[in-house]
Amino acid sequence: MKPPLPSSSSAVLRKARLSPYLFTLLAFIVFVALLYGEDFMCIFGQLEPIPGRPISRPVKKREKLPFAAGKTEEGCDVFSGRWVPDELTRPHYEESECPYIQPQLTCQEHGRPDREYQKWRWQPHGCDLPSFNATLMLESLRGKRMMFVGDSLNRGQYVSMICLLHRLLPEDGKSMKTYNNDALTVFRAKDYNATIEFYWAPFLLESNSDNAVVHRISDRIVRKGSINKHGKHWKGVDILVFNTYLWWMTGLEMKILKGSFEDEEKEIMVVSTEDAYRMAMRTLLRWVRKNMDRKKTRVFFTSMSPTHAKSIDWGGEPGENCYNQTTLIEDPNYWGSDSRKSIMKVIGEVFSKSKFPITFLNITQLSSYRKDAHTSIYKKQWNPLTPEQLANPVSYADCVHWCLPGLQDTWNELLFAKLFYP
């Protein structure tokens, strides 16, 4: 005998007993959707979250960056490639044609006998680097400001940019002046109402090395969270190019000032270089987010510039360095002992969380191959050389800075590519 079918009233009761569970589940789904809906939109739409954006707004394609005229080929990494000899298109200019190069970088004027270091072109794997177009650069800067902020290596890139552009300007249509005790240098393209500027801030934050002329201080101290001292000079800039690395490399630890440099009793803490650098990068990102307009401005950060102070790194003789080096390092995996990967890791960690689009110019690896391109001994020496130094050029060779024209022109080709074809 079949069991009796349940009555309609008992079925209703059973559904009623299930309804609290269904209601709880639906309420939880709605709560999660409201709380994390923005993140889901970012993940599936491949967009970074924009504060204040209504949740109901449909997901759009990645926003077009200011100054973008196109995009790089799909899958093209312009920072991965090789150096190829090019005597037809390199150098972009002659050293003697650019009066803005500092005497610390004029290697030919100071007796360098070879010129091969000027005749290399960077060739990305599987694609081509857009040709540097000085006319496009100047037209895009019309009525705008471009500023390089950082140390002497960023100043070298700044001067390279001016050398790449100034030939298009008449003599009476350009000028260069310094301000603020030489901390600020301004190149003006008068017909374009445009400026290309350099601001000296080796740590980006306030430090005891902020004097643009007298800053050779071994006991370096950085003031925590003090970016506004310099940052007030960066406001209103349309294209900002930051760098900071070399000045942090004083050892494994860094001194951080918690108060003011004017305090009679200074509170100083000692932290690892990586933690100090992380603090500076987070402070920089906060400043950028608060002061830059993502719809009108672009921000770049240049990675660490490698040195070549130890020839044993590339299989050379012990005790030698970049002096007398005229060939490139051919090992594609070469990474010098002076370039700290832990700092690159900090940059990647902090910048990956940025809510403002910052373009990273990864010049470290491609520059690591160029042990031939440093100024070495072919530069102005600010102090007379001793007989001992003259007898041993390795002892005073500069294996940090780069001859112009040379490697840093390539850095600006990469900047050009990322500015117009991101």
Side-chain angles (χ1 to χ4, degrees):
M1 182 175 177
K2 293 182 180 180
L5 294 172
S7 66
S8 60
S9 60
S10 63
V12 169
L13 287 173
R14 188 172 301 166
K15 288 182 181 178
R17 283 198 297 271
L18 292 174
S19 62
Y21 300 103
L22 289 172
F23 176 80
T24 303
L25 178 62
L26 289 172
F28 177 76
I29 292 172
V30 171
F31 174 75
V32 170
L34 290 173
L35 186 61
Y36 296 107
E38 183 79 359
D39 296 301
F40 291 148
M41 290 170 70
C42 294
I43 293 170
F44 294 114
Q46 292 184 331
L47 290 169
E48 64 179 63
I50 303 174
R53 185 175 65 187
I55 294 175
S56 60
R57 183 181 297 179
V59 177
K60 296 181 180 180
K61 293 182 179 180
R62 184 181 294 275
E63 61 185 303
K64 181 180 178 181
L65 294 172
F67 298 93
K71 63 179 182 179
T72 305
E73 297 174 43
E74 194 72 28
C76 175
D77 179 2
V78 294
F79 303 111
S80 177
R82 69 190 190 281
W83 289 99
V84 297
D86 184 349
E87 296 196 6
L88 294 178
T89 66
R90 298 297 184 274
H92 287 287
Y93 54 89
E94 294 295 331
E95 179 185 296
S96 59
E97 294 174 352
C98 187
Y100 306 101
I101 307 176
Q102 309 104 297
Q104 301 96 303
L105 308 179
T106 50
C107 299
Q108 292 295 308
E109 180 185 348
H110 290 89
R112 179 157 181 167
D114 66 301
R115 293 169 58 92
E116 298 310 307
Y117 66 92
Q118 300 178 352
K119 300 175 183 178
W120 293 93
R121 174 172 54 82
W122 180 248
Q123 177 62 56
H125 293 308
C127 56
D128 291 317
L129 199 59
S131 298
F132 187 91
N133 187 325
T135 302
L136 173 60
M137 192 76 194
L138 281 170
E139 284 294 341
S140 300
L141 286 175
R142 188 179 291 277
K144 294 181 171 57
R145 297 172 64 194
M146 181 181 195
M147 180 183 284
F148 293 78
V149 178
D151 57 24
S152 57
L153 289 160
N154 221 23
R155 181 164 51 201
Q157 186 177 356
Y158 159 72
V159 172
S160 162
M161 178 63 75
I162 293 173
C163 291
L164 290 166
L165 298 177
H166 87 99
R167 286 178 298 175
L168 296 184
L169 305 170
E171 285 301 317
D172 60 353
K174 54 192 173 185
S175 66
M176 179 183 277
K177 294 183 179 179
T178 58
Y179 304 90
N180 197 21
N181 296 319
D182 291 338
L184 178 65
T185 304
V186 179
F187 176 84
R188 194 175 303 276
K190 298 177 183 177
D191 293 342
Y192 292 85
N193 188 30
T195 60
I196 305 171
E197 309 170 34
F198 170 75
Y199 186 89
W200 172 263
F203 293 99
L204 303 183
L205 307 184
E206 182 182 358
S207 75
N208 63 347
S209 303
D210 286 344
N211 188 304
V213 180
V214 183
H215 46 245
R216 292 183 179 274
I217 299 172
S218 57
D219 188 24
R220 297 169 183 172
I221 303 173
V222 177
R223 183 183 169 208
K224 183 178 180 180
S226 57
I227 199 167
N228 288 329
K229 179 196 172 183
H230 300 311
K232 63 185 179 184
H233 298 283
W234 314 336
K235 291 183 178 181
V237 172
D238 300 280
I239 303 172
L240 268 171
V241 185
F242 291 104
N243 95 313
T244 183
Y245 168 70
L246 185 66
W247 285 69
W248 298 88
M249 298 300 106
T250 57
L252 299 178
E253 294 179 329
M254 196 77 199
K255 290 183 177 180
I256 303 298
L257 175 67
K258 297 187 73 173
S260 168
F261 280 106
E262 279 69 46
D263 294 343
E264 288 187 15
E265 294 186 9
K266 295 178 175 58
E267 184 179 357
I268 295 176
M269 57 181 179
V270 178
V271 300
S272 71
T273 300
E274 285 75 13
D275 285 343
Y277 195 85
R278 184 179 291 107
M279 173 204 71
M281 293 300 97
R282 287 173 175 169
T283 303
L284 172 64
L285 292 190
R286 282 196 297 271
W287 185 93
V288 166
R289 190 173 66 249
K290 291 178 181 178
N291 293 282
M292 302 297 285
D293 185 344
R294 66 190 299 144
K295 294 182 179 179
K296 298 179 181 178
T297 61
R298 289 288 296 279
V299 178
F300 296 83
F301 189 90
T302 304
S303 68
M304 54 192 182
S305 175
T307 63
H308 293 89
K310 302 173 184 176
S311 60
I312 56 173
D313 285 353
W314 59 84
E317 294 295 324
E320 295 184 357
N321 55 21
C322 70
Y323 170 69
N324 223 17
Q325 298 292 329
T326 57
T327 60
L328 279 62
I329 295 172
E330 296 182 359
D331 178 5
N333 299 313
Y334 173 79
W335 189 275
S337 61
D338 291 334
S339 299
R340 284 166 65 168
K341 287 188 176 181
S342 58
I343 294 295
M344 290 285 275
K345 185 177 180 181
V346 169
I347 295 173
E349 168 197 320
V350 176
F351 279 37
S352 65
K353 300 174 183 176
S354 173
K355 289 181 171 59
F356 188 100
I358 295 180
T359 304
F360 187 59
L361 297 178
N362 190 2
I363 55 85
T364 306
Q365 186 73 68
L366 64 93
S367 303
S368 293
Y369 307 135
R370 298 300 308 273
K371 63 182 172 67
D372 64 312
H374 290 288
T375 54
S376 185
I377 66 171
Y378 305 108
K379 55 180 285 187
K380 179 176 180 178
Q381 304 294 336
W382 295 106
N383 298 307
L385 297 172
T386 65
E388 291 77 17
Q389 287 176 313
L390 291 170
N392 181 22
V394 170
S395 66
Y396 67 96
D398 181 346
C399 299
V400 173
H401 300 95
W402 310 94
C403 299
L404 285 180
L407 171 65
Q408 291 188 296
D409 300 320
T410 298
W411 296 4
N412 280 321
E413 289 181 275
L414 293 162
L415 171 59
F416 175 91
K418 287 296 183 180
L419 178 63
F420 295 110
Y421 307 100

